[in-house]
Every structure is written in C-alpha cells, then in structure tokens.
Amino acid sequence: MKLERHFPQVRDLAPLMHFATPEFNAKKRRLEKALTIHDLRAIAQKRTPKAAFDYTEGAAEAEISLARARQAFEDIQFNPSILRDVSVVDTSSTVLGGPVALPFGIAPTGFTRMMQSEGEIAGAGAAAAAGIPFSLSTMGTTAIEDVKAANPTGRNWFQLYMWKDRDRSMALVDRAAKAGFDTLLVTVDVPVAGARLRDKRNGFSIPPQLTLGTVVNAIPRPEWWINFLTTEPLAFASLDRWSGTVGELLDTMFDPTVTFDDLAWIKDQWPGKVVVKGVQNLDDAQRLATMGVDGIILSNHGGRQLDRAPIPFHLLPDVAREVGKDLEVHLDTGIMSGADIVAAIALGADFTLVGRAYLYGLMAGGREGVDRMIEILGDQIARTMRLLGVTSLAELTPTHVTQLERLAPRALSIPAATAPRPAAKSSATKPRTSPPKAGPRKSPIAG
C-alpha cells in the first residue's frame, strides 16, 4: 500500500509545538540545567578559582581513598521488587532524637566562604528550608551565633576538632550549646593534617596569595573576586587571622595526644547528643558503643587524611550489624547521588552526610545552588526507592543491595623463617624427599 502524504496545516502543527518560556536569570538558567551533582561540579569548576576549587575537590597524597570510596558506590547492584504501590514515598525519619525530611545532612566543611562568599549562611538556610541538619565546622568561616540565626528552628550540629589549647576548644563547645546546637560531632581522625598536595602546589593559604598565576586564573571568574573583595573579610568561627597554608594552620591546632579518655571528658561537658566522626574499623566502633556515645560516623574524612584508608561503605554492613542496636551509624565519604544514599540506608546506615556535593552546589550558585543540590539528591532518593519497590526508608534492607567485589584482601603468606616448626619426627619415619605443594594463592578480584 502506497503511503499517502499531504502538506501539514498550521492547525495540525500547533498542538505539537510548545515553546519553552525563556529564562532571563542566568543563575537560575544554569542551575536548572544541572541534573546531577556532577553537573553542579562542572559549573562550580568554571566559576571558582583553581586554588579554592582544588581545596574542595582534592584529597590526600595520590587521592586513592577518595577514588575508592566513590568506586565502591558504583560497584553495587540494586535488587528491585515489582508490582508494589509506590505512588507515595516517605523519605523522612528520626535521627538522633529529632525529625529529618531526607536521609542526609550537610557535613561540616572548613574555609567555606573561600569557596563562595555566602558560605555557611547559604548552607544553613538551605538546610532549614529542606528540613535537614546543618553542621558547622570548627574551621568554618561563619560565627556559631550567625549560623543559628540563619537556621533558627532547624537542626544545627557543631563539629569539634580538639586543639592543643583545650580551653579554646571547649569555649567553642560552650558557645554552641548556648546557641542551641543539638548535636556535637567530635572528629577523631585528625591527629595531624593529611598531605593535601593540591593545596601545597597551589599555595593555598589564608588569606589567598595573589600571584601572577592567581591573577591569570581569576580573569574568567570575576564574580568570585568581586564577591570576595566586596563582602565581609574572611574570618573564622574559631580564630581571627592566619597567614600561611591551610596544612600549616591545621598542624598548629590539632592535638595528636587525644585519647578515648579525652573523648569521655568531652562527652561529659556536652548537654546534647554526641557523635564521633572518623571511625574506620569495627573494634573502635564497638569500644565507642560501650562508652555510650549516641552515634558514630563511618568516614575517612573524604579521603583527605590517610590515603589508602578503609572504604566507609565497605565497613558499613559489619559495623551496622554489630553495633547498630547500641548507637546510630552514619556514613560519609564518596556520596555523589541519591542512589548512593539509598544504598547506604539499605545496608544499615541510619543517616548520611554530604560535603563535596554541598560545596559544588554552593560554588555553582550560592544559596540557590545548595537548594538545587538538595533537590537533585532528594529527587534521586525518591525515584530510586520507587524503582526498588519501597515506600519508606524503613523498608530498605540489605536484600535490596549487592556489593560487587572489586578489591579483596590478599591472603597472608607466612615467611619460612617465621613459620612454626613441625613437631619432631621419630627416626623410623621416612624422611620427606620433596617440599610440600603450596596451596593456591588468592589474588584481588578485578570487577
């Protein structure tokens, strides 16, 4: 049969043609085009000077820990159920005694106004609007009281590094308690600063150094410099001024003598919930459970401390199984999507924290960029839950996720010199004329 053709009439085309209303707000236009956290990262890189962007992006030494943490989330298989009514999905839960609208909060980040001039005020305001917690770092660039003002009725958490100057550390804790912060995050994986080589190579310092390279890099990023030079001078929640690199600052502050006894003392000083951030093995998690802390955060500091550190997502199932009834288990490091968060909750996490994702949003568009980051993750969480066939976080279980194996520990081989000697044989026993056959050696599995 021959296909008949005719010239289309305007009345036939009209229902098929819908022109989008043009968006004249450049910031809103670029944020609407961002569909993933990786998209926000690309925008952030274009708008932020290299030294500041690399401080967010970088990790310690060869940055292996961060790469492995992100790879671990990619190396999973979801196991969905079908024919479930998922018309309504609830992403809320109760965390540390209070409500949260989504299973993630904003992690504590240092030097935040260096990334974008709105800094913690943007993060706290966005968190308040979304109904999630905001965490202020000891190395934050906004005063404790100002963060409280930006998030007056929401969940504010304060992250503490124990300094060599204990009185100064505890003065911050006292200020946070008086301001109504409900949770103290005690970070325990920083006896000294990690080797953050990008910062050294960039000469990243507080305040920024104006070199020829800095000026050249700033030419296509005038908005960042205009904001930096015309807003309140960079200051810190915890100190007034510093002249030197970030690593040098950290090494003058952090106390390598802190022990479990110090942690117990800190716990006694704080009236709210206490969570220990930086747990990287099961033994420490079990010891903290016996101390009566309210929660732990499995974290290798975003790969910024010990390179080749354990992968928090891999630790999660064992830790959740062993101590999850005694305290809350939270997770950070490597999260770049809502699917990552759903996988963590399914494998036993009560909550997660996002750091780089938050800063990518902040650098991409200030407060509106953080709002967009939360919106992206929230949409991804709800969609992943629907596709898995669950309607609440409580319905997620380890059966929904399979962790595929890429790196596996290699079996230990005992050198002959240290191997136990066999029992002495009688002279009637026939001597062995050849060495025993070696068993097969296990090797890492390439996924």
Side-chain angles (χ1 to χ4, degrees), residues 39-155:
D39 291 342
L40 288 176
R41 176 194 172 279
I43 298 170
Q45 188 171 22
K46 292 178 181 178
R47 303 185 61 80
T48 311
K50 178 176 172 55
F53 181 82
D54 276 0
Y55 177 75
T56 295
E57 179 83 352
E61 302 193 38
E63 304 186 357
I64 294 171
S65 287
L66 177 59
R68 287 179 177 173
R70 286 182 173 166
Q71 186 67 56
F73 282 110
E74 295 182 15
D75 289 348
I76 65 167
Q77 171 185 290
F78 280 123
N79 306 312
S81 298
I82 61 171
L83 298 177
R84 307 294 198 272
D85 180 357
V86 291
S87 55
V88 178
V89 169
D90 183 6
T91 62
S92 67
S93 66
T94 299
V95 172
L96 297 172
V100 296
L102 293 161
F104 68 92
I106 293 179
T109 61
F111 311 102
T112 311
R113 286 185 55 228
M114 183 74 72
M115 313 308 127
Q116 204 271 351
S117 57
E118 296 176 54
E120 288 88 356
I121 297 301
I132 64 175
F134 176 81
S135 308
L136 175 64
S137 170
T138 298
M139 307 306 298
T141 48
T142 301
I144 291 168
E145 296 76 12
D146 291 341
V147 167
K148 177 63 176 180
N151 185 15
T153 59
R155 307 284 302 277

Side-chain angles (χ1 to χ4, degrees), residues 5-246:
R5 300 179 183 273
H6 67 274
F7 192 79
Q9 301 296 315
V10 173
R11 66 176 181 272
D12 298 325
L13 292 176
L16 304 176
M17 301 177 67
H18 297 278
F19 294 97
T21 303
E23 177 56 65
F24 297 105
N25 183 312
K27 179 190 290 187
K28 187 175 181 181
R29 187 168 61 246
R30 67 173 177 265
L31 291 176
E32 286 178 347
K33 290 181 179 179
L35 304 180
T36 67
I37 301 303
H38 292 282
D39 291 342
L40 288 176
R41 176 194 172 279
I43 298 170
Q45 188 171 22
K46 292 178 181 178
R47 303 185 61 80
T48 311
K50 178 176 172 55
F53 181 82
D54 276 0
Y55 177 75
T56 295
E57 179 83 352
E61 302 193 38
E63 304 186 357
I64 294 171
S65 287
L66 177 59
R68 287 179 177 173
R70 286 182 173 166
Q71 186 67 56
F73 282 110
E74 295 182 15
D75 289 348
I76 65 167
Q77 171 185 290
F78 280 123
N79 306 312
S81 298
I82 61 171
L83 298 177
R84 307 294 198 272
D85 180 357
V86 291
S87 55
V88 178
V89 169
D90 183 6
T91 62
S92 67
S93 66
T94 299
V95 172
L96 297 172
V100 296
L102 293 161
F104 68 92
I106 293 179
T109 61
F111 311 102
T112 311
R113 286 185 55 228
M114 183 74 72
M115 313 308 127
Q116 204 271 351
S117 57
E118 296 176 54
E120 288 88 356
I121 297 301
I132 64 175
F134 176 81
S135 308
L136 175 64
S137 170
T138 298
M139 307 306 298
T141 48
T142 301
I144 291 168
E145 296 76 12
D146 291 341
V147 167
K148 177 63 176 180
N151 185 15
T153 59
R155 307 284 302 277
N156 290 304
W157 299 353
F158 183 71
Q159 177 267 335
L160 175 69
Y161 290 121
M162 277 305 292
W163 298 354
K164 296 171 184 176
D165 185 342
R166 299 297 174 86
D167 291 340
R168 200 172 185 185
S169 296
M170 298 315 294
L172 289 174
V173 171
D174 183 59
R175 281 175 58 191
K178 289 178 178 177
F181 282 53
D182 62 77
T183 297
L184 184 68
L185 308 181
V186 184
T187 297
V188 295
D189 59 354
V190 188
V192 296
R196 302 173 191 179
L197 303 185
R198 292 202 203 194
D199 294 342
K200 288 183 177 293
R201 290 171 180 140
N202 289 328
F204 184 60
S205 63
I206 308 297
Q209 295 175 340
L210 290 176
T211 64
L212 178 60
T214 305
V215 173
V216 170
N217 185 253
I219 291 173
R221 300 168 177 86
E223 184 178 346
W224 186 94
W225 281 102
I226 291 170
N227 289 335
F228 183 79
L229 295 172
T230 60
T231 56
E232 191 72 21
L234 192 67
F236 299 87
S238 52
L239 71 158
D240 298 323
R241 295 286 176 187
W242 174 258
S243 179
T245 68
V246 174

Side-chain angles (χ1 to χ4, degrees), residues 60-61 65-66 189 194-195 280 300-301 303-310:
E61 302 193 38
S65 287
L66 177 59
D189 59 354
Q280 298 178 66
N300 64 30
H301 214 103
R304 297 164 71 82
Q305 283 299 107
L306 176 66
D307 205 10
R308 300 176 178 84

